[in-house]
Every structure is written in structure tokens, then in C-alpha cells.
Amino acid sequence: MTFALPLAFSLLPLPLLVRLLPSARRGGGGWVQVPPSLAGRLPGGSDGGLARTVGLAPLVLLWLLLVTALAGPQILSTTALLPASGRDIILALDLSGSMEKEDFDLDGQPISRLDAVKRVAKAFITRRTGDRVGLVVFGDKAYVASPLTFDLAATAQAIEEAAIGVSGRSTSIGDGLGLTLKRLQESDSPARVVVLLSDGVSTAGSVPPREVGALAARMGVTVHTIALGPKDLETDPKARDAVDVATLRDIAETSGGTLFRVKTLADLVSVAKAIDDLEPSLSERPPLAVQRNYWTVPAALALVLCLILMATNGRRT
């Protein structure tokens, strides 16, 4: 604890100094003689006075509280610096039928692509303190599963509840990215980011993905794309359920983003860390020092004590 005006404590001996000062000589001015019984009831009477009525200790305590309040006690504390507007990030998640394929490994057990994405995406989102995060899912159609919000837990819960089939079993990358950009168009954040994850080829929707990527560039929205799955059309054009790496690369490069190729769960974890490095949270700053003033505490106690002393003195006189 520190004090805004520590010199105020030099006033503590003031009542004692006043008491030690020699009494003023009575001059020849006018004075009034009153009966002893009445004089005892006056504050300066020979038989009365507040000190004799309530004792010296409460008055000393009252003076100490008043001086302490004047000194301005304060405590320096730190608080996390949360910007009013950090990055706006929307995760665009492919929920097509191929996401149920169990070709990811977790502790020796196969898990589906969607389960792998859920584990990593939830951890990624909960680290975005200070940013607004949202979720768009797409299959045949696209819809907003979680609007942009500072409530990271709500978005993480929306990811956990995402299920294959709710938006159809085909893949409409253009519609998913288009809806995401529509949401970000209303944002005035200085940094708007899309993390687009797909494991297939765009087979549905009315908007070509590359055109939407160009729109993102014109809007100033950065799109990072994640090509998920062990096979892709570039290396195995005839493979079934292979991811269209070329389209996802074109979207990312056009908007100034980065393409990430993910074949294993370890790759997916590394991608989340890489995106954190590319898009550092604006809240990752030194803690903000805040002075909290507590002068009202001794002032309130002094007021309560003063009222008690006045009531006590009134009853005794």
C-alpha cells in the first residue's frame, strides 16, 4: 500500500501541539458569567468537554482516520490489458460427409477428422483472449454456428456441438467463405481473419471459391486455409475424398494468407501454433498497472465514529 499524500501524516501531532500552546491571556473584552451548572454543559466548560465525556482514545482514533483519509491510501494492482477491439477471427469449418473418415491417430486409436479438428480448434480459440471469435460451418449450405463474440467459451461449445450432416454432406467452399466475409463486412476491427478448413473439393454452391478469395483480398480480410487429409489432388488426382490443395492455396495467397497442409494430428497442432504466431493476440501485452484508491474507507469509518461520539455525548449531557 502507498499513499498519494504521505506528508499528510505530519499533521498527526497537531492536536498535541495545540494543547501544549500557552492559553491566550484573557483580555479586557466583554464576557458573560453563567451559573456553574450551565457551564458544565458547554463544550469548553470546566466540568464538561467531549474528551471528558467519551474519553481520549476515540478522539485520537478519529483524528488518525481523518489524517489517513487525507493521505490517500492506494494500492497498485495489475490487470490484464484487454483491448476493446482486437482481431475478429472466424473459423470456417467444413462439415461435409468426408469429415467422418477415421484416418487420424490419437494415442494409437483412430479418430475422425472432425474429432481431431474439434480438439485443436477449441484449444486455439480459448487462447484468443481479447479477440472476437466466431464459427461458420458449411456443407451443401453454410450457416453461422456462433457469431463474433468475446465469449470464447460459447464459440468453443459451438465447435463441440458441430455435427456432420446439419449443413448437408457435400462441400461448398465458396458459400462457406462467402457467408464468413459477409459477417466480417460489418466489422470495424483493424484486423479481420478467416481460418478456412476443408478436406475435400468444392462440389456444391453457386459461388466459385477463387472469386470469393479475390473478394476477401479487396475487403482486406486475410484468409488462412487448412487442407486436411492424407491425400490431395495434386499428388493423387484420382484419389477419392482428396483435398483440393490448389484451390485452397489460391484463396490463401490471393488474400495474403497462408496455406497449411495437414495430414496428421501433430500437423494440426502445429498449424494452430503457427496461426497464433501469424496472428498474435492483441491482448498479449504487459499487464496494465492500476492505482486503486481507498481513502473512502478511513473517511467512512471516521464519519461513523463521529456520529457515535456525538450520540454518546448527547446522551451524557
Side-chain angles (χ1 to χ4, degrees), residues 89-106:
I89 301 176
I90 295 183
L91 176 63
L93 177 60
D94 185 348
L95 286 184
S96 59
S98 56
M99 287 291 286
E100 31 182 38
K101 293 182 71 70
E102 295 185 347
D103 49 11
F104 276 72
D105 182 86
L106 177 64

Side-chain angles (χ1 to χ4, degrees), residues 70-136:
L70 181 62
Q74 55 190 13
I75 295 178
L76 180 65
S77 61
T78 57
T79 182
L81 185 58
L82 298 181
S85 179
R87 281 176 169 77
D88 277 354
I89 301 176
I90 295 183
L91 176 63
L93 177 60
D94 185 348
L95 286 184
S96 59
S98 56
M99 287 291 286
E100 31 182 38
K101 293 182 71 70
E102 295 185 347
D103 49 11
F104 276 72
D105 182 86
L106 177 64
D107 298 331
Q109 298 296 323
I111 61 173
S112 69
R113 298 176 180 180
L114 180 58
D115 287 338
V117 169
K118 284 182 177 181
R119 293 177 63 90
V120 178
K122 288 190 297 182
F124 168 75
I125 285 176
T126 55
R127 292 195 298 268
R128 303 307 305 186
T129 304
D131 296 332
R132 291 199 306 170
V133 182
L135 174 66
V136 168

